Amino acid sequence: MVPAIPLLPLTLFTLQPVAADTPLRYPAAAVIRLIDTLSGKLDESHPGYYRYRSKSRVQQYTDSLKATITADSLTTLEIYRKVKPFVSAIGCLHTGLQLPPAYVSQLNSQPNLLPLQLLFDDRQATVTTNYSADSSLLPGAVITAINGKSIRDLLAVLLPAIPADGYNLTMKYKTLYHQFPSWYRSMIGPAGTFTLTLSDGRTVIIPAARFEELARPGFLEEPSPRETLSFTLKGKTAILTIRSFAASDVKRTGQHFRKYIDRVFLQLQQQGIRQLIVDLRGNTGGTDGNAVYFTRHFFGQPFRYWDRIEVTPTIAGQIKGFTRLFYRKPALREGTYRWKKSPVTREFDYYTLQQPARSVYNGKTYILTDGFCMSSCADVAAILSFHRKAVFIGEETGGGYQGNTSGMMPVVELPPVSLLLTVPLQQYYNAVDTTLHRGHGTPPDYAVPLTANAVINGIDQPMELALRLAGAM
């Protein structure tokens, strides 16, 4: 969820480039101040800071974290490894903490990444793609330890550091599938070689690779599909794929979201198509207007999409003077400051009653989801699931069923290390039952987790199940 006009920036510090191989160490007192600064910024500006943990629990965590700063000084990576799980523990996938870009660039210039793509469960990792020169590591090889650390011990470090809404795990495991080498490097440490222990008793040693040697769309880089939207017919079953709701992604592929969706649903109506499969897997969200527009095609009556949007008192207090030309003053209601419609952008309008589309679909709908269904995509899934507009197949969505914290997301630099903290300023509440799936995403009606066998053999199990249920196989 990204607004049209990103105002309300938090205080920014001057960026200082930091080389990855610098011997710089930072005094313990400076690290403790960094933690206090970080916690203070989140407390004053992040409306979801206490969404899943009480203020007292957050304070206990903050105090215990500072108590672990026992060394006289810490390096950039040591500080990052201390603070990253603290930020991720908020339970907000939009709250980010990144290493300085110059530092990452320096890391990327060196061979320090594991040249394998791995699919994880809670005990082991399976090779799905081997980018190393060692031909003995065939797809399907099972790794039980890396550089002397068991997969279970590695996951105990990595999973708490990966941000996700609430207590969700599907997004964390999906992240590891697509980005494990980078996460290993930042949270465990760069390595020049990797000693792999395999389930068959073998030990394999492979050299590390550089980022540019490994990175490709979908692995270490964002996927880059040729089409954001696609539509096909398989007999009397339609398949609509939406890779993103982001206007920028749709524009990049030369498509127009609303016109495309209108044509699809008009065709469904005119041809009497009664079975529709919507593939939302890998859709990380984007423009709320597009997400809402799509959702309207399943409702014959007006409906609620968001219940409300909240901001902190500090952010509410910043809506004054010139800023009020773009945003209306949040209203204090039932103890919280609630966002109101903007006179300029419509990005925050969808807490009001939504009207049905012109071409409403009344047939059977199957929606495919996975852990990378985030943000506005997760909102769509929640609303359609709550109103029983579709059957869901695949994995729990990575974004929260109850909503998320996103909207405007300024970046704060944390001195003295120049770690970059992304702070979302709007807390969204979906118009769903508040007792359902708290801290989790929309669950599937038919759970079909991704398996190594399916990846290696090119089997799309969720789609196959949807086609069988629709009578198209």
Side-chain angles (χ1 to χ4, degrees):
M1 299 177 177
V2 181
I5 305 175
L7 295 180
L8 303 180
L10 300 183
T11 303
L12 298 180
F13 299 91
T14 303
L15 288 174
Q16 299 293 329
V18 180
D21 57 356
T22 179
L24 257 177
R25 300 183 67 87
Y26 299 89
V31 179
I32 290 173
R33 285 197 298 272
L34 180 150
I35 294 170
D36 286 334
T37 298
L38 179 149
S39 185
K41 294 290 183 186
L42 293 170
D43 177 74
E44 72 180 16
S45 302
H46 192 308
Y49 192 31
Y50 307 111
R51 188 168 193 160
Y52 299 107
R53 303 175 302 168
S54 67
K55 191 167 186 175
S56 62
R57 285 190 63 193
V58 171
Q59 188 59 55
Q60 288 173 1
Y61 191 170
T62 306
D63 293 341
S64 65
L65 175 61
K66 290 191 291 185
T68 68
I69 312 299
T70 55
D72 291 336
S73 61
L74 287 81
T75 66
T76 296
L77 271 180
E78 287 169 344
I79 296 169
Y80 179 80
R81 291 174 194 148
K82 291 279 188 184
V83 179
K84 184 68 171 177
F86 176 85
V87 172
S88 297
I90 297 169
C92 174
L93 69 82
H94 293 91
T95 305
L97 184 75
Q98 285 80 41
L99 290 161
Y103 192 99
V104 175
S105 294
Q106 183 65 24
L107 283 174
N108 285 345
S109 70
Q110 303 165 358
N112 49 35
L113 294 171
L114 177 68
L116 301 174
Q117 186 164 17
L118 305 174
L119 187 67
F120 290 81
D121 63 25
D122 62 353
R123 302 178 313 280
Q124 59 190 29
T126 303
V127 177
T128 59
T129 308
N130 177 11
Y131 296 107
S132 79
D134 191 326
S135 60
S136 70
L137 282 170
L138 298 175
V142 174
I143 298 172
T144 58
I146 302 174
N147 286 351
K149 289 185 170 62
S150 70
I151 295 301
R152 181 168 287 182
D153 287 345
L154 291 175
L155 291 176
V157 174
L158 296 174
L159 290 175
I162 300 172
D165 281 348
Y167 320 115
N168 173 273
L169 287 176
T170 57
M171 179 183 166
K172 292 174 182 276
Y173 277 103
K174 190 72 68 178
T175 296
L176 287 179
Y177 175 60
H178 291 283
Q179 301 170 3
F180 175 74
S182 293
W183 281 94
Y184 183 100
R185 183 179 68 182
S186 61
M187 294 304 300
I188 307 299
T193 60
F194 294 91
T195 300
L196 311 175
T197 304
L198 276 60
S199 62
D200 60 10
R202 288 186 297 146
T203 297
V204 177
I205 301 175
I206 58 175
R210 290 181 176 84
F211 181 84
E212 65 179 12
E213 297 169 341
L214 298 180
R216 60 211 65 210
F219 182 57
L220 301 181
E221 290 182 347
E222 294 290 330
S224 183
R226 287 187 298 176
E227 293 182 314
T228 304
L229 307 163
S230 63
F231 178 73
T232 59
L233 287 175
K234 189 176 178 67
K236 281 294 185 178
T237 298
I239 302 173
L240 171 63
T241 300
I242 305 177
R243 298 297 182 198
S244 173
F245 287 113
S248 57
D249 290 336
V250 179
K251 182 178 180 180
R252 177 182 57 79
T253 56
Q255 297 173 300
H256 188 286
F257 188 88
R258 296 196 177 199
K259 290 180 180 178
Y260 195 100
I261 294 299
D262 283 344
R263 286 197 301 269
V264 165
F265 282 90
L266 181 60
Q267 183 176 346
L268 294 175
Q269 191 177 78
Q270 291 176 339
Q271 296 187 9
I273 302 297
R274 304 301 299 165
Q275 305 281 347
L276 171 63
I277 299 171
V278 181
D279 190 351
L280 295 180
R281 291 173 296 177
N283 184 326
T284 58
T287 307
D288 291 305
N290 287 341
V292 176
Y293 193 78
F294 166 74
T295 307
R296 287 175 179 154
H297 289 78
F298 297 92
F299 287 87
Q301 300 294 328
F303 67 100
R304 300 290 310 285
Y305 187 77
W306 292 331
D307 179 69
R308 63 189 187 279
I309 310 168
E310 294 180 356
V311 298
T312 66
T314 298
I315 296 302
Q318 292 182 16
I319 309 298
K320 58 186 178 182
F322 179 78
T323 307
R324 294 194 68 171
L325 295 176
F326 299 94
Y327 304 106
R328 294 176 64 198
K329 186 80 172 175
L332 182 60
R333 182 179 171 189
E334 298 178 13
T336 62
Y337 284 90
R338 301 191 179 184
W339 202 259
K340 297 161 76 173
K341 282 189 172 185
S342 164
V344 176
T345 175
R346 295 194 59 196
E347 286 292 326
F348 308 113
D349 289 4
Y350 305 113
Y351 62 87
T352 59
L353 201 63
Q354 301 301 304
Q355 300 300 317
R358 275 184 260 181
S359 299
V360 175
Y361 183 71
N362 295 311
K364 190 74 172 180
T365 302
Y366 305 90
I367 297 182
L368 310 184
T369 57
D370 65 8
F372 268 12
C373 291
M374 311 176 201
S375 196
S376 60
C377 179
D379 293 344
V380 169
I383 298 303
L384 294 180
S385 174
F386 175 64
H387 290 279
R388 302 181 184 277
K389 298 295 184 181
V391 174
F392 285 81
I393 300 170
E395 299 174 334
E396 175 188 330
T397 61
Y401 178 84
Q402 298 287 343
N404 64 71
T405 308
S406 54
M408 291 178 285
M409 296 184 285
V411 177
V412 180
E413 186 184 346
L414 300 173
V417 195
S418 298
L419 296 179
L420 302 179
L421 175 69
T422 301
V423 185
L425 303 183
Q426 276 87 21
Q427 182 171 206
Y428 297 80
Y429 288 86
N430 291 335
V432 298
D433 185 339
T434 58
T435 66
L436 291 176
H437 317 309
R438 185 178 184 277
H440 289 280
T442 299
D445 299 292
Y446 294 88
V448 186
L450 186 67
T451 67
N453 179 66
V455 171
I456 293 166
N457 293 291
I459 302 170
D460 191 342
Q461 293 175 310
M463 180 62 76
E464 288 186 357
L465 176 57
L467 290 169
R468 285 198 300 273
L469 293 173
M473 281 187 71

